[in-house]
């Protein structure tokens, strides 16, 4: 297909989504993409445990696992999700059939590779999927998207389409360099969603502050991108133990120092800055997601 024909197809798809009857102008749900430059810095564990902390503040949370190929959220949650969003196109399956219920009323949707096939679907199929998922715009306060590692096009699409982005790094120089590369890619695409930073696995407060200071300073100075500091999470053996037990940290070790750090960050997400901004919700997310897909 020529580039122009493909662009036209995309425009038609997007306008059909926006005109869909289930889509309202404003949404309740805030879509937050959790990402990093380097892999293995703690995204999945942070996402699951922040969801639990938000749920403890009476917030309704849906987690979408957008990590292609690796069912990481399932493993951390200790639950299984047999379906992904493409199964919505199968006879009779509804969104309620493909959602897994986690602890504290959290709902979990496995995106799987299905997410990356969305742009290849017919308008009717795409509309069906989007209209099912947008039912969550009336339910969820927060939709947390756990991405895979690296600055691939796939990951960037989730970053660009979100209402807010949480960037995770550790104090390791490689992780900081890769986090900066992610901010650079985001700046290169004219990203506009607020970027928030979490430094995971810090040994002490000074180490956390040094990383925050460094990344905030260079991003502002060289990329003109402001980053908000959400704080840090301590290096904690309880996290490793919880992962091994396949019980989320906040449930296995609620009094652990890392649990307290995550609760503190969740408090800022639930009640802090930027909360006045009207979220675009999952409907807005899909609209932007398809826009960036090409
Ligand atoms: N605060 C912490 N203290 C100690 N260990 C931690 C901490 N956070 C994460 N870890 C360790 O790092 C491992 C990787 O975490 P996780 O799977 O959440 O990373 P990820 O960024 O999602 O990885 P990927 O990029 O592969 O998706 C965990 O299994 C755990 O052992
Ligand atoms: Mg992960």
């Amino acid at each position: 297909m020529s580039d122009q024909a493909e662009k036209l197809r995309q425009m038609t798809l997007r306008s059909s989504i926006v005109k869909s009857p289930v889509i309202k102008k404003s949404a309740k749900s805030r879509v937050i993409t959790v990402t990093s430059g380097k892999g293995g810095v703690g995204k999945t564990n942070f996402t699951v445990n922040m969801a639990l902390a938000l749920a403890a503040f009476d917030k309704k949370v849906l987690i979408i696992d957008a990590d292609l190929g690796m069912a990481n959220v399932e493993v951390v949650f200790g639950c299984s999700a047999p379906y992904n969003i493409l199964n919505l196109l199968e006879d009779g399956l509804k969104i309620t059939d493909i959602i897994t219920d986690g602890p504290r009323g959290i709902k979990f949707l496995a995106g799987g590779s299905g997410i990356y096939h969305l742009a290849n679907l017919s308008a009717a199929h795409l509309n069906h999927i989007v209209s099912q998922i947008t039912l969550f715009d009336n339910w969820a306060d927060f939709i947390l998207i756990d991405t895979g590692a690296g600055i691939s096009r796939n990951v960037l699409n989730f970053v660009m389409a979100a209402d807010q982005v949480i960037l995770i790094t550790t104090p390791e120089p490689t992780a900081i360099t890769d986090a900066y590369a992610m901010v650079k890619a985001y700046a290169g695409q004219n990203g506009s969603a607020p970027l928030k930073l979490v430094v995971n696995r810090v040994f002490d407060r000074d180490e956390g502050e040094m990383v925050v200071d460094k990344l905030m300073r260079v991003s502002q100075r060289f990329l003109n991108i402001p980053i908000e500091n959400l704080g840090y999470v301590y290096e904690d053996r309880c996290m490793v133990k919880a992962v091994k037990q396949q019980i989320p940290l906040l449930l296995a070790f609620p009094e652990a120092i890392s649990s307290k750090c995550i609760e503190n960050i969740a408090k800022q997400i639930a009640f802090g800055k930027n909360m006045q901004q009207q979220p675009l919700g999952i409907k807005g997310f899909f609209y932007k997601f398809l826009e960036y897909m090409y």
Side-chain angles (χ1 to χ4, degrees), residues 113-132:
S113 55
I115 283 188
Y116 303 101
H117 294 302
L118 290 180
N120 302 322
L121 297 177
S122 68
H125 280 162
L126 185 66
N127 254 330
H128 177 67
I129 287 184
V130 173
S131 64
Q132 287 281 304

Side-chain angles (χ1 to χ4, degrees), residues 54-75:
L54 288 169
F57 295 136
D58 281 336
K59 301 293 178 190
K60 297 205 168 52
V61 188
L62 167 69
I63 298 178
I64 300 180
D65 186 350
D67 193 346
L68 189 61
M70 317 262 190
N72 278 330
V73 175
E74 281 178 63
V75 178

Side-chain angles (χ1 to χ4, degrees), residues 39-45 67 72 149 200-201 234-236 239:
V41 295
K43 294 179 292 297
T44 302
N45 279 281
D67 193 346
N72 278 330
N200 189 26
R201 308 192 72 159
Y234 281 99
E235 168 75 32
D236 189 352
M239 179 71 94

Side-chain angles (χ1 to χ4, degrees), residues 247-273:
I247 302 172
L249 173 84
L250 256 75
L251 298 180
F253 304 102
E255 297 307 320
I257 182 119
S258 48
S259 294
K260 297 294 167 204
C261 292
I262 294 171
E263 278 168 2
N264 188 35
I265 291 168
K267 201 179 284 172
Q268 295 177 62
I269 290 292
F271 310 111
K273 257 205 252 170

Side-chain angles (χ1 to χ4, degrees), residues 30-289:
R30 199 169 292 277
V31 180
I32 303 180
T33 292
V34 179
T35 196
S36 67
K38 190 173 185 287
V41 295
K43 294 179 292 297
T44 302
N45 279 281
F46 177 81
T47 305
V48 166
N49 287 298
M50 190 174 76
L52 284 163
L54 288 169
F57 295 136
D58 281 336
K59 301 293 178 190
K60 297 205 168 52
V61 188
L62 167 69
I63 298 178
I64 300 180
D65 186 350
D67 193 346
L68 189 61
M70 317 262 190
N72 278 330
V73 175
E74 281 178 63
V75 178
V76 171
F77 245 150
C79 66
S80 82
Y83 299 111
N84 76 52
I85 58 171
L86 279 191
N87 294 111
L88 283 173
L89 298 177
E90 283 171 23
D91 278 350
L93 279 186
K94 295 200 208 62
I95 190 80
T96 42
D97 301 320
I98 70 161
I99 290 279
T100 302
D101 288 305
R104 296 188 185 168
I106 294 165
K107 297 200 184 290
F108 165 52
L109 174 62
S113 55
I115 283 188
Y116 303 101
H117 294 302
L118 290 180
N120 302 322
L121 297 177
S122 68
H125 280 162
L126 185 66
N127 254 330
H128 177 67
I129 287 184
V130 173
S131 64
Q132 287 281 304
I133 298 178
T134 45
L135 294 173
F136 280 99
D137 269 340
N138 297 326
W139 179 83
D141 296 297
F142 291 97
I143 297 177
L144 306 182
I145 302 183
D146 177 32
T147 65
I151 310 170
S152 66
R153 186 72 235 170
N154 282 337
V155 171
L156 259 185
N157 287 336
F158 287 100
V159 169
M160 300 308 295
D163 287 311
Q164 289 178 12
V165 179
I166 296 182
L167 178 63
I168 307 216
T169 184
T170 65
E172 287 181 354
T174 45
I176 300 173
T177 310
D178 291 358
Y180 180 71
M182 171 57 86
V183 181
K184 199 168 174 183
Y186 165 91
Q189 297 284 319
N190 299 317
S192 57
L195 269 188
K196 293 158 187 273
L197 181 67
V198 170
V199 187
N200 189 26
R201 308 192 72 159
V202 304
F203 282 102
D204 55 42
R205 199 191 161 106
D206 285 354
E207 188 179 42
E209 276 170 10
M210 203 188 64
V211 176
V212 167
D213 184 58
K214 204 175 191 170
L215 258 173
M216 283 171 80
R217 217 160 12 91
V218 290
S219 300
Q220 185 69 63
R221 181 158 171 212
F222 297 112
L223 304 170
N224 199 24
I225 296 282
I227 300 183
E228 187 193 329
N229 174 22
L230 278 181
Y232 39 84
V233 180
Y234 281 99
E235 168 75 32
D236 189 352
R237 277 174 58 85
C238 288
M239 179 71 94
V240 182
K241 282 191 204 160
V243 170
K244 284 188 183 154
Q245 291 173 17
Q246 279 191 256
I247 302 172
L249 173 84
L250 256 75
L251 298 180
F253 304 102
E255 297 307 320
I257 182 119
S258 48
S259 294
K260 297 294 167 204
C261 292
I262 294 171
E263 278 168 2
N264 188 35
I265 291 168
K267 201 179 284 172
Q268 295 177 62
I269 290 292
F271 310 111
K273 257 205 252 170
N274 287 320
M275 288 305 118
Q276 308 83 337
Q277 262 178 8
Q278 185 62 48
L280 294 174
I282 199 80
K283 154 232 30 173
F285 173 85
F286 272 109
Y287 184 77
K288 287 212 249 167
F289 185 80

